Amino acid sequence: VLVWLSRFIPFGATRPTMKATAQPSMIASTFLAVCLLSHEAAAFIGGGIQRQRAPSPSALHSTWNNGNNYGKGEFTFYKSFDEWMKPFPAEDRELYPDMFRIPDGIFEVRMAKPLGIVFEEMEAGGGGVYVAGLVEGGNAEAQGIIQEGDRLIGVTAIKVIGAKWERRLLPCTAWDFDTVVGAIGSNDIKWGCDNVVLQFERPGEAKEDEVKKHLEFFEPPFASSWKRG
């Protein structure tokens, strides 16, 4: 379990029985544990256009709050992808258009708890989780978007530091079952959460490189408070 997940609010859940044979990975299990966006990542943000200029500071670094700024500003509570990207200036939208869209084969849902989703690990001890089933009559089934086999790639989580907190979407393709459940459970009403935001990859519809580059944007950098306990 990564140290920056150590302050999740506890959440009780029954762990499903693991299958004897792990499901094949839908995307590469290699996970970028840290990502200060580099020139390589800039190629993605630039929409695949080969640019020599460095990414704009606003596009890469202004979403992470540290020190006394933690819990302050426009990037403190993730509601949806579109809402999260609204504060960026028009210049960024023009220069890095791919940063402002969710890639094909990835979809985002907002859902109240209990979700009504049965998750199982992609492989024992990590590698993320996939949807093994939907609870009959549950919120996920009623919403009609999530399907069996979809892989969870991102989920909102709360981190509390002193009297301050933030809710962010975090990549979860390397997490184990318990870490995923902890993140989901941290989205509690006492922190202003009336839902959980989840991003899924639909098998056979997403491109591996686009999934990885999409998640890089949401990965906490080295210096982030989310990397520390």
Side-chain angles (χ1 to χ4, degrees):
V1 178
L2 301 179
V3 293
W4 43 269
L5 294 174
S6 62
R7 294 295 296 276
F8 282 151
I9 309 306
F11 173 67
T14 301
R15 184 187 181 104
T17 302
M18 287 293 298
K19 292 185 176 180
T21 303
Q23 291 289 319
S25 177
M26 298 176 193
I27 64 173
S29 59
T30 302
F31 180 70
L32 301 178
V34 287
C35 181
L36 287 171
L37 292 181
S38 61
H39 289 286
E40 180 180 358
F44 152 67
I45 291 177
I49 300 174
Q50 298 300 317
R51 301 177 184 273
Q52 296 301 315
R53 82 186 99 190
S56 75
S58 63
L60 302 186
H61 303 296
S62 64
T63 66
W64 295 99
N65 308 308
N66 294 308
N68 292 332
N69 291 324
Y70 187 80
K72 300 179 180 179
E74 296 173 302
F75 298 101
T76 59
F77 194 92
Y78 189 97
K79 295 180 180 179
S80 69
F81 179 80
D82 290 339
E83 287 292 323
W84 191 255
M85 304 306 287
K86 276 185 178 181
F88 288 104
E91 179 183 7
D92 286 342
R93 295 176 181 274
E94 180 180 350
L95 292 175
Y96 317 111
D98 280 6
M99 190 179 74
F100 294 89
R101 71 173 186 89
I102 295 179
D104 294 339
I106 297 175
F107 63 94
E108 182 176 272
V109 297
R110 289 174 286 177
M111 193 180 310
K113 297 185 297 185
L115 305 181
I117 304 173
V118 179
F119 288 117
E120 289 192 10
E121 290 181 333
M122 298 291 294
E123 54 189 57
V129 300
Y130 71 99
V131 178
L134 302 178
V135 177
E136 185 176 356
N139 288 336
E141 185 184 64
Q143 196 174 67
I145 300 175
I146 301 169
Q147 299 177 6
E148 289 188 16
D150 289 340
R151 187 184 189 189
L152 182 68
I153 63 170
V155 60
T156 49
I158 297 288
K159 183 176 177 66
V160 181
I161 299 180
K164 301 177 182 178
W165 70 88
E166 293 184 353
R167 180 168 95 155
R168 290 183 172 271
L169 182 84
L170 301 174
C172 61
T173 55
W175 295 1
D176 60 19
F177 175 87
D178 293 333
T179 304
V180 170
V181 170
I184 292 172
S186 71
N187 292 265
D188 193 86
I189 191 66
K190 67 181 176 181
W191 309 115
C193 307
D194 59 4
N195 61 25
V196 182
V197 184
L198 309 103
Q199 288 190 359
F200 291 89
E201 174 197 353
R202 179 66 44 84
E205 296 185 12
K207 295 181 179 179
E208 180 181 330
D209 59 335
E210 291 186 356
V211 173
K212 292 175 67 175
K213 290 172 181 177
H214 170 72
L215 294 177
E216 285 172 1
F217 179 75
F218 295 101
E219 180 65 32
F222 281 111
S224 170
S225 298
W226 284 80
K227 287 289 189 184
R228 300 191 295 270

